[in-house]
Structure formats: structure tokens, C-alpha cells
Amino acid sequence: MVRVGAGVPLAELQPALALDGLYYPPVPTYDGAFVGGTIATNAAGAATFKYGSTRQWVEALTLVLADGSLAEIRRGEVTASPDGWFELQLPSGEIVRVPVPTYVMPDAVKLSAGYFARPEMDLIDLFIGSEGTLGIVADATLRVIHLPRRCVVLVACDSDSQALAVTAALRREAGSAWRGDGALDVSAVEFMDSRALAVVPDEAISRVGVRRPVGAAVLLLVQIEVADREDDALARMDAVLDACGVHASPQVAMPGDERGAARLFELREAVPAGVNAVIAAAKSRVHPDIEKVAGDLIVPFERQEESLAMYRETFERYGLEYALWGHVSDGNMHPNVLPRSLDDVGKGKAAILDIARRVVAIGGAPLAEHGVGRSALKQQLLRELYGERGIEEMRAVKRALDPEWKLAPGVLFPEPESQPATR
Ligand SMILES: Cc1cc2nc3c(=O)[nH]c(=O)nc-3n(C[C@H](O)[C@H](O)[C@H](O)COP(=O)(O)OP(=O)(O)OC[C@H]3O[C@@H](n4cnc5c(N)ncnc54)[C@H](O)[C@@H]3O)c2cc1C
């Protein structure tokens, strides 16, 4: 375990843990995030497929509640009553009854869509993912593991369907390895299509020794954990690629080759940076109101091929330029609009809403890991997921814990018109 202040960035936490040979697994691919922010959004990342999201790694929290009091919450200490309530005694002696929402959350490996709700749930889970609306995280006790040895492999595929076949095969191999019956312990597979890679500077592509993919081509970035048998793991990886008809030799950073791994990760990080640069350029040259329009969708893995086709078809129907990348081993993709005009921003929002409705209809979720915040579009996606009644149930939780609406007002749902001045 590590007890860490909420204001520690992951970029400082991981090197500090590494000094003791330790590692905190459920990290987003953005290491500028702070521990408090990752807990507030139930962040996940590339390796959710193996390690789950932040929620599973938080053992205890110190919180500042809306009345200024401190609360120490340990997992396993307070659970909701069978009839759906938490009864909390504040330091002032006041008893607060907090209702547990009754909506059913989608069965997704990562979800950052308002308040966690399950019958007889643990109180700590109400605060994790609540985006600062119920309490401020001051510090956290997190579970950690031994720092894994890791190979990073970049694979060039011809098409979405080949990339998904490789990912499905790697997920099966990983399952066998976790059961002690295989060498290919894959922890993450990330997907970047040629449209996403088109916005990346030439140096980022040439540094990793591949040609810039064009047309339907896709790059996959695979992380493999190896105890000591990296040759066995890579031989198995070659067999998977052969069986899926991948002909180009992969680029491999072996365990210990930190510079090689960093180059490969830089390529992945260059994608959102490149998209942001496209948006910033359109904003300054075309219209100051141009903004980012992006999805953060998760679908059951077996529905991913039809979902990818649906993302592409929807953007094309709206006449939009777009880029697709994401954490393909979780079924979590980030379709991003590349706006050329203010009109594209409006069309992009309509396209994301269409996509989100279809994702919800197949058992997925439109808010996987980035949270909701104050974005009107994301708040609409939250309503698509749980309906007005679900939002009202969340408001009832907020009202019980923060009756004056002091904490992160306007995050997750708009503030009600009038709030009582006192509890
Ligand atoms: C390039 C890039 C890649 C990303 N990749 C991923 C990814 O792979 N997976 C993923 O999950 N996310 C990803 N994200 C999103 C982001 O990293 C996560 O949402 C992260 O958890 C936010 O942390 P932050 O410290 O930046 O929080 P902020 O963005 O500052 O805050 C997020 C929310 O948390 C609340 N909050 C912040 N600190 C506290 C606190 N101490 N107590 C209570 N509430 C608090 C804020 O009020 C706000 O509502 C990515 C972002 C970028 C820019």
C-alpha cells in the first residue's frame, strides 16, 4: 500500500514507487493527472483489461466534506443498508441519510459516469468517480504491485478487422497466461488509425521506424509483461501475428530498453497532441468558438467490430473529418472530430450523440474514463445513460451530502434553480 496526497501527480508517484520496485497499475495514459483527479474520475487507462480501473485499487480515503469536516473512509467499513441508505454521523453529531441510486450501471470494465450505485455498496465507492461533487479527496491509500518487467511492441495491421482479430487473439493468450498456462501476458493493446496518425509530426513516426500508415491501415501498441521468459512471449506473439496474417515485422522494445519504450509511447501521446493542434489551428484561423468534440465510448469487446464501423459510418454520414484511437483491448475508443469549421462542431456533437445512443443500446457506455465535468454534451450523454430519473437520484445524493451545492457546482448535472441555504 501507499498513502499519498491528492496533489501528487502520477509522474511523481510512479518514479517514487519504482525506487522500491513498486508500481500503481490503473493509471491513465496522461501522467500529468493528479492522484486526487484520478480518484475523482475513476480513471482507467490502457491496462484496464488486466488491472481494472482506479476504483479497485483504492483502499482508503481522507475526504473533506461540504461542511468542512474530515472523514476517513476505509473499504469494508461502511456498507449501504439492504433498503438502500447510508446513515452517516457527521463530526457535528448530525445524522445524514444518503439514498443509494437505484439505476443499473452498464456492465463495463471502465465507467466514469456519475455516482456508483449497487445494492449494499461500500461507502468509499460513492466518492470514487464522483468528480469532486460529494467530497474533496485530501489523501488516499492505494494498493500497489511489484513493478512488472515489460516489452512494448508496435504492430502494423492492414485494417480494423485485422487489428481486432490480433487484439482478440492477444486477449485469449493473456487469459491463458493469467491462468498459468501460457507465456504471453498482455496487459494492454492500443489502437491508432491512419487518420489519427495523419496528425502526428513526421519525427514521431520516423523515430519508431515505421512508415506512416495510410488508408485502412492501423497501428497497435501492445504491452506484454514478462517475468523472465521474454523470448517465449515474443515467439508466441509472432505466432499470433502469423495466424492473423500480419506480415510486417513488429517494432519491439525489450525489457530494460526504456528509451525504446518511451519512443513508442511518445507516438501514442503524439496522437491526442496532434488532434489538439488541429483544433487550436482551426480555432485561431477559422472561428474562435471551435472546440474539441470527442467520444469516450466503451462497448462489450465482442461488439467492437460493428461499433468501429458504426463510428466511421456516422462521421461520414455527417460529412466530418475524424480520427479514431483508443484502448482497444477494453472496447474503449476515442472517436474525435477534426473540425474544419464551426458548423463541424455542431455536426460533431450531433454525431457523438447518435453514436452514444447506439452504444447504450448494445450494453455499452458513452462515458468510460474521462468523466462528465461541466460539458453540456457529456451531461446529455449521462442523461442518455440513466434517464432524468437517474439524474434526479444523483441529485438526491448530492443534496444529502452537500445541501448548499458548494462542491464542484455544475459538475455532472446543472445546479438546481434554488437551493436551501442550510441543511
Ligand atoms: C492526453 C490525455 C490522455 C488521457 N488519457 C486518459 C486515460 O487513458 N484514461 C483516463 O481515465 N483518463 C485519461 N485522460 C483524462 C484525465 O487524465 C483523467 O480524467 C484524470 O483522471 C484527471 O485527473 P486530473 O488530475 O487532470 O483532474 P482534473 O481534470 O483537474 O479534474 C477532474 C475532476 O476531478 C475533480 N477533482 C480533482 N482533484 C480532486 C480532489 N482532490 N478531490 C475531489 N475532486 C477532485 C475536479 O473537480 C474535476 O471534476 C487523459 C487526458 C489527457 C489530456
Side-chain angles (χ1 to χ4, degrees):
M1 304 263 191
V2 59
R3 187 169 181 190
V4 59
V8 174
L10 299 174
E12 286 181 27
L13 174 65
Q14 295 293 29
L17 290 173
L19 292 176
D20 290 326
L22 298 172
Y23 180 69
Y24 176 57
V27 286
T29 50
Y30 170 53
D31 71 0
F34 297 90
V35 166
T38 61
I39 293 169
T41 54
N42 186 31
T48 310
F49 156 61
K50 178 163 186 187
Y51 292 114
S53 65
T54 296
R55 182 176 307 286
Q56 287 102 302
W57 297 83
V58 179
E59 275 302 307
L61 292 176
T62 306
L63 293 156
V64 182
L65 299 179
D67 66 353
S69 62
L70 274 186
E72 300 269 352
I73 302 179
R74 296 203 74 79
R75 188 171 288 287
E77 278 183 0
V78 182
T79 47
S81 67
D83 59 344
W85 294 88
F86 289 107
E87 211 157 69
L88 308 178
Q89 182 163 24
L90 299 180
S92 62
E94 186 186 353
I95 306 269
V96 182
R97 265 165 74 85
V98 184
V100 175
T102 59
Y103 47 75
V104 177
M105 299 191 310
D107 184 18
V109 290
K110 46 172 86 163
L111 189 66
S112 185
Y115 302 151
F116 184 91
R118 289 249 167 92
E120 300 184 52
M121 63 181 280
D122 196 300
L123 179 62
I124 202 167
D125 285 323
L126 188 61
F127 289 94
I128 300 167
S130 68
E131 298 192 38
T133 57
L134 303 179
I136 298 166
V137 179
D139 71 45
T141 304
L142 307 172
R143 290 196 294 120
V144 293
I145 60 170
H146 290 290
L147 181 64
R149 288 175 80 238
R150 180 176 68 182
C151 289
V152 186
V153 183
L154 188 69
V155 178
C157 297
D158 294 337
S159 62
D160 287 352
S161 64
Q162 188 180 58
L164 290 174
V166 170
T167 308
L170 293 176
R171 279 171 52 107
R172 284 193 296 274
E173 291 285 330
S176 302
W178 301 341
R179 290 190 298 273
D181 179 28
L184 191 47
D185 180 356
V186 173
S187 61
V189 185
E190 291 183 78
F191 173 108
M192 295 166 272
D193 79 350
S194 65
R195 292 165 180 266
L197 290 157
V199 300
V200 162
D202 288 340
E203 320 81 76
I205 300 268
S206 58
R207 264 203 303 268
V208 296
V210 291
R211 269 200 244 138
R212 190 186 290 275
V214 289
V218 166
L219 291 181
L220 293 178
L221 188 64
V222 183
Q223 295 181 49
I224 306 169
E225 293 185 4
V226 285
D228 47 9
R229 296 154 52 202
E230 55 262 34
D231 292 346
D232 292 355
L234 290 174
R236 211 46 231 146
M237 177 84 189
D238 279 346
V240 166
L241 297 182
D242 256 8
C244 295
V246 175
H247 302 302
S249 300
Q251 303 293 315
V252 181
M254 298 296 277
D257 176 8
E258 293 309 321
R259 288 178 64 181
R263 272 199 298 273
L264 294 174
F265 289 133
E266 275 161 23
L267 175 64
R268 173 191 70 192
E269 280 148 35
V271 169
V275 169
N276 289 344
V278 168
I279 295 163
K283 202 176 165 68
S284 83
R285 284 197 212 119
V286 183
H287 199 289
D289 293 341
I290 287 180
E291 56 177 305
K292 189 176 172 86
V293 181
D296 171 26
L297 308 137
I298 186 161
V299 295
F301 183 79
E302 59 285 0
R303 307 297 296 262
Q304 198 155 225
E305 185 151 10
E306 71 186 81
S307 302
L308 278 186
M310 183 267 283
Y311 304 154
R312 294 191 190 285
E313 180 276 319
T314 308
F315 285 136
E316 280 156 22
R317 182 157 39 86
Y318 279 90
L320 292 163
E321 293 281 332
Y322 65 94
L324 275 185
W325 75 91
H327 311 299
V328 69
S329 42
D330 302 323
N332 173 205
M333 296 300 291
H334 299 306
N336 271 243
V337 177
L338 301 174
R340 295 154 298 182
S341 64
L342 190 56
D343 195 35
D344 278 359
V345 171
K347 285 186 194 164
K349 288 180 180 175
I352 295 285
L353 198 56
D354 277 7
I355 286 172
R357 287 184 176 138
R358 291 166 77 177
V359 160
V360 172
I362 60 168
L367 298 156
E369 57 173 22
H370 292 173
V372 177
R374 293 190 175 89
S375 149
L377 176 61
K378 290 182 177 185
Q379 294 194 355
Q380 191 169 352
L381 300 184
L382 190 64
R383 283 198 297 279
E384 293 289 328
L385 187 60
Y386 292 132
E388 286 301 337
R389 180 168 168 203
I391 304 300
E392 270 318 304
E393 291 189 327
M394 287 192 213
R395 280 180 193 275
V397 175
K398 169 84 173 160
R399 218 174 285 124
L401 282 165
D402 180 15
E404 293 173 50
W405 235 256
K406 286 181 188 168
L407 301 175
V411 166
L412 293 179
F413 32 73
E415 282 180 79
E417 302 282 300
S418 62
Q419 282 303 309
T422 54
R423 197 187 291 280

